[in-house]
Amino acid sequence: MPETLKQERSLQDLKEKARSLRLDVLEMTTRAGSGHPSSSFSSVEILTALYFGDILRYRSHQPNWPERDRFILSKGHAAPLLYAVLSHAGYFEREMLWRLRQVDSPVEGHPIQNKLPGIETTSGSLGKGISVGLGHVLGGRLNGLKYRVYVLLGDGECEEGQIWEAAIAAAHFKADNLIAIVDYNKYQETGPISREMALEPFAAKWRAFGWHVEEADGHDVGSVIEKLKSAQAVTGQPSVVIAHTVKGKGVSFVEADYTFHGRALKPEQAEKAREEILCS
Amino acid sequence: MQLGEKAGLKPSKPMRDVFGDAFLELCRQNPKIVVLDGDLCNTTKTLAVRQEFPERFFNIGLAESNMVSIGAGLADCGFIPFITSMSSFLLCNAYDQLRLSIAIAGLNAKVVGSHGGITLGKDGPTAMAIEDLALMGGLPTFTILVPCDPTSMHLAVRAMAEHVGPVYLRSSRVAIPHIYPEDDCPFEIGVANTVRQGSDLTIIGCGIMVAAALDAAAILAEEGIQARVLDMHTLRPMDTQAIAAAARETGAIVTAEEHLLHGGMGSNVARAVGATHPVPMRFIGLADTYTDSGDPYDLLKKYGMTAEDIAQAAREVVAAKGETAGA
Ligand SMILES: Cc1ncc(C[n+]2csc(CCOP(=O)(O)OP(=O)(O)O)c2C)c(N)n1
Ligand SMILES: [Mg+2]
């Protein structure tokens, strides 16, 4: 019997969860003086839906439970968010969060597998996540296990050739328990995707590669949950949920300035940001 | 003259065929082995495994980056992935994946690069791996194995599966002779084998160049020079003790490898010699260049990697040793 560990929460609870994750990311990166808050903010509702919206099956007290669903953070620079989520989910103590990016701490700048419970793969160099997830799919088949594998990608990350190698292969292997989610915030590091390296027609590309496509409002946890559930029902092909998001979501002056990519907020900026997040 | 002929060694098969035999045997014994192929199983010699164990064999196609990261996922599921392709294509296309998906966390994944060195010959420099040992040297958690003969290849394949952690194994296309008895030889990861005793100098080789080193030793013996020959089958962890003992006891060292001199076995041996017991050294391998396409033996000759080249280097170090002693 597949086991669901998380209770259904009301959407209001999930919204609260998202808010506190944003605040944690803000505090972690501001204290560390570096990191990727804007890329993390963009994915908050997606991870909230996965970990707290009754989508991902996991046991934080048994991180290597063989039947667990896998969450592969391919856009590894959203590490602060992953750490915050894992601590909220009970994988490790909250105090760990404040050791982000410090020497002798396992809370590395980008996630390193085996350093902390709950990290399924090493990431940071972009483009690898679908492939690693497909390895888990093939391994699960050989082991006779029926878990699902969720992979979170950035949109700029989808410029990597390996993403499309993996897209071909996942369709070839009919990996219907593989669900990719694209944090489609329309920005990469140096500017808007449409200007730097246009990806549209994006959904059509995935369809052409043999994938089932869903589109969600990536900041509406309910929408993300609904589309993930539709993807779960698909058979014979992998699915991608294109989640429309805003980079820096929740903090107006970060949303308005893509050059915040890869920059922590200064303490006075963080104070303003905190107020905005609390009032949202 | 074939490799090993001067030393009177018995000829055998191409190294890749030996690998194929050893690997099939391993897959029969260990159900946890899975194979990832970059559409080259016919030439890397994993085809027999594909035929016998189709469910454990995945042709990922011409997508080496994808293949390596998929292998990482399979390792996470408790399997022992053998990621196989021609070395140059695999390592050069998927270096970031080897580093990120496997090396940093030290996953239990195995990489086999066939067609190592220049002796694949006629396909030319685009297909040759003259830099694989340097590249794998750049991934600190990888054990690096370069076996030299059929018996040691069988044992290396078994040892790499038993070792927990990432391992790279280099195989090559050229036919190699038997250096060890066909039923057994010592093979412990990180422990070099002395394949010939001698006290005037030591020749340290790996892969096919161990046979060339033994040929060189036979040439030198006719001149009254007795060379010790070490089979440095493991490049990491390197047997610093055996190197230090060779330096101390024989006073001069020549290294021989089918690889760029830059970043290969010789430069690592030199580091060990320099740190323990500095002695005169010479280095046989590929100087900073790509080679022509051509017959393997013509290439070894043109690029200064024959037994005679090793013997000449040996004469020079032995002479240099005398000068140092006299000074
Ligand atoms: C292979 C690789 N190239 C470059 C980088 C540097 N880098 C980190 S994030 C980033 C932009 C990523 O954009 P996107 O995927 O859209 O992520 P977002 O931050 O917008 O969520 C770049 C270029 C990297 N981490 N990996
Ligand atoms: Mg983006």
Side-chain angles (χ1 to χ4, degrees), chain A residues 68 70 112-114 120-128 130-140 142-143 147 162 165-166 169 172-173, chain B residues 32 34 36 55-56 58-60 62-74 76-79 96-97 99-101 104-107:
Chain A
R68 74 194 183 282
R70 274 65 168 165
I112 310 285
Q113 194 174 346
N114 302 332
E120 295 281 4
T121 194
T122 304
S123 56
S125 174
L126 294 162
K128 324 284 185 278
I130 304 184
S131 308
V132 174
L134 184 53
H136 280 272
V137 167
L138 299 175
L142 289 173
N143 281 327
Y147 51 76
Q162 187 181 357
E165 292 181 4
H172 173 80
F173 288 110
Chain B
K32 286 287 173 195
V34 294
L36 293 135
E55 70 290 347
R56 288 198 267 146
F58 303 101
N59 183 9
I60 304 303
L62 295 102
E64 294 76 15
S65 311
N66 190 31
M67 168 163 72
V68 168
S69 299
I70 291 176
L74 280 156
D76 293 338
C77 294
F79 293 96
D96 188 25
Q97 289 71 17
R99 171 179 160 278
L100 186 97
S101 300
I104 291 179
L107 299 192

Side-chain angles (χ1 to χ4, degrees), chain B residues 168-252:
Chain B
Y168 172 69
L169 178 128
R170 180 199 241 205
S171 125
S172 44
R173 193 172 189 273
V174 75
I176 43 159
H178 286 281
I179 289 173
Y180 296 105
E182 284 174 59
D183 51 346
D184 200 18
C185 78
F187 192 92
E188 192 180 331
I189 288 177
V191 181
N193 291 338
T194 303
V195 291
R196 189 183 192 283
Q197 300 291 349
S199 54
D200 294 328
L201 82 151
T202 303
I203 307 172
I204 302 180
C206 62
I208 69 157
M209 296 305 275
V210 177
L214 287 168
D215 288 337
I219 297 171
L220 293 165
E222 289 167 2
E223 301 165 16
I225 300 175
Q226 292 303 332
R228 176 183 301 184
V229 178
L230 284 189
D231 167 14
M232 191 61 63
H233 54 71
T234 308
L235 267 52
R236 185 166 51 221
M238 194 167 254
D239 190 345
T240 308
Q241 273 188 345
I243 295 168
R248 229 180 9 255
E249 291 160 17
T250 70

Side-chain angles (χ1 to χ4, degrees), chain B:
Chain B
M1 248 291 180
Q2 298 289 300
L3 279 166
E5 197 174 324
K6 177 77 191 172
L9 301 173
K10 185 178 153 203
S12 174
K13 308 197 252 194
M15 184 89 102
R16 60 175 178 170
D17 294 297
V18 177
F19 167 76
D21 297 344
F23 189 51
L24 179 60
E25 202 177 293
L26 176 73
C27 290
R28 284 179 178 155
Q29 286 160 3
N30 189 338
K32 286 287 173 195
I33 309 286
V34 294
V35 193
L36 293 135
D37 175 32
D39 201 39
L40 282 169
C41 59
N42 53 330
T43 189
T44 60
K45 302 298 169 190
T46 59
L47 180 59
V49 173
R50 179 182 200 168
Q51 287 160 344
E52 195 165 322
F53 303 103
E55 70 290 347
R56 288 198 267 146
F57 185 100
F58 303 101
N59 183 9
I60 304 303
L62 295 102
E64 294 76 15
S65 311
N66 190 31
M67 168 163 72
V68 168
S69 299
I70 291 176
L74 280 156
D76 293 338
C77 294
F79 293 96
I80 306 173
F82 271 66
I83 302 166
T84 60
S85 189
M86 286 176 62
S87 185
S88 57
F89 303 146
L90 178 53
L91 271 48
C92 296
N93 275 288
Y95 196 64
D96 188 25
Q97 289 71 17
L98 290 166
R99 171 179 160 278
L100 186 97
S101 300
I102 294 176
I104 291 179
L107 299 192
N108 190 25
K110 318 297 169 182
V111 177
V112 179
S114 72
H115 298 69
I118 66 172
T119 48
L120 74 106
K122 295 188 178 175
D123 278 335
T126 63
M128 289 173 184
I130 59 169
E131 64 286 89
D132 59 326
L133 304 178
L135 288 172
M136 297 317 289
L139 302 174
T141 53
F142 263 90
T143 294
I144 304 172
L145 302 180
V146 189
C148 67
D149 97 321
T151 313
S152 61
M153 174 61 93
H154 276 265
L155 293 172
V157 168
R158 209 176 301 162
M160 78 190 281
E162 279 164 14
H163 175 86
V164 180
V167 182
Y168 172 69
L169 178 128
R170 180 199 241 205
S171 125
S172 44
R173 193 172 189 273
V174 75
I176 43 159
H178 286 281
I179 289 173
Y180 296 105
E182 284 174 59
D183 51 346
D184 200 18
C185 78
F187 192 92
E188 192 180 331
I189 288 177
V191 181
N193 291 338
T194 303
V195 291
R196 189 183 192 283
Q197 300 291 349
S199 54
D200 294 328
L201 82 151
T202 303
I203 307 172
I204 302 180
C206 62
I208 69 157
M209 296 305 275
V210 177
L214 287 168
D215 288 337
I219 297 171
L220 293 165
E222 289 167 2
E223 301 165 16
I225 300 175
Q226 292 303 332
R228 176 183 301 184
V229 178
L230 284 189
D231 167 14
M232 191 61 63
H233 54 71
T234 308
L235 267 52
R236 185 166 51 221
M238 194 167 254
D239 190 345
T240 308
Q241 273 188 345
I243 295 168
R248 229 180 9 255
E249 291 160 17
T250 70
I253 290 178
V254 173
T255 64
E257 63 195 306
E258 194 194 4
H259 187 272
L260 283 174
L261 289 174
H262 196 103
M265 179 197 69
S267 51
N268 286 295
V269 169
R271 198 156 44 86
V273 171
T276 56
H277 189 93
V279 294
M281 292 186 72
R282 292 288 184 281
F283 305 91
I284 296 295
L286 190 62
D288 281 340
T289 183
Y290 292 99
T291 75
D292 298 348
S293 309
D295 174 82
Y297 282 92
D298 290 344
L299 293 178
L300 288 172
K301 189 148 194 264
K302 172 163 177 175
Y303 296 96
M305 294 159 67
T306 63
E308 184 43 56
D309 295 306
I310 298 172
Q312 182 52 33
R315 292 176 198 116
E316 288 170 24
V317 277
V318 169
K321 174 164 99 161
E323 283 161 24
T324 316

Side-chain angles (χ1 to χ4, degrees), chain A residues 22-222:
Chain A
R22 262 196 190 88
L23 289 171
D24 284 349
V25 165
L26 179 67
E27 182 160 1
M28 291 166 76
T29 51
T30 303
R31 283 203 202 187
S34 68
H36 295 75
S38 71
S39 307
S40 297
F41 290 163
S42 165
S43 302
V44 165
E45 281 74 18
I46 297 167
L47 266 77
T48 302
L50 283 164
Y51 277 86
F52 308 108
D54 203 23
I55 296 290
L56 203 68
R57 291 172 313 154
Y58 59 94
R59 293 175 177 170
S60 50
H61 60 284
Q62 194 188 347
N64 296 325
W65 178 38
E67 286 164 62
R68 74 194 183 282
D69 288 337
R70 274 65 168 165
F71 173 67
I72 308 267
L73 180 70
S74 193
K75 50 168 276 190
H77 56 290
L81 175 61
L82 178 65
Y83 297 140
V85 165
L86 291 176
S87 83
H88 280 249
Y91 282 90
F92 47 79
E93 293 295 305
R94 187 171 165 72
E95 279 59 47
M96 274 290 189
L97 298 183
W98 320 128
R99 298 176 63 196
L100 177 70
R101 292 177 170 242
Q102 289 177 12
V103 75
D104 290 333
S105 151
V107 194
E108 306 249 8
H110 293 76
I112 310 285
Q113 194 174 346
N114 302 332
K115 287 250 174 165
L116 280 170
I119 298 177
E120 295 281 4
T121 194
T122 304
S123 56
S125 174
L126 294 162
K128 324 284 185 278
I130 304 184
S131 308
V132 174
L134 184 53
H136 280 272
V137 167
L138 299 175
R141 277 183 196 170
L142 289 173
N143 281 327
L145 299 174
K146 290 212 177 336
Y147 51 76
R148 289 197 176 86
V149 181
Y150 299 87
V151 181
L152 181 62
L153 309 168
D155 44 5
E157 183 181 10
C158 292
E159 292 159 18
E160 287 286 348
Q162 187 181 357
I163 295 289
W164 302 100
E165 292 181 4
I168 294 172
H172 173 80
F173 288 110
K174 300 187 172 36
D176 53 12
N177 55 338
L178 178 70
I179 300 176
I181 305 158
V182 182
D183 178 348
Y184 198 10
N185 58 27
K186 323 293 186 295
Y187 281 89
Q188 53 195 85
E189 178 150 351
T190 54
I193 305 256
S194 58
R195 184 184 78 194
E196 304 301 336
M197 189 53 65
L199 284 173
E200 289 292 344
F202 194 48
K205 285 193 173 73
W206 289 100
R207 286 197 189 94
F209 276 74
W211 287 56
H212 172 82
V213 179
E214 296 282 343
E215 304 210 30
D217 174 347
H219 295 305
D220 174 348
V221 183

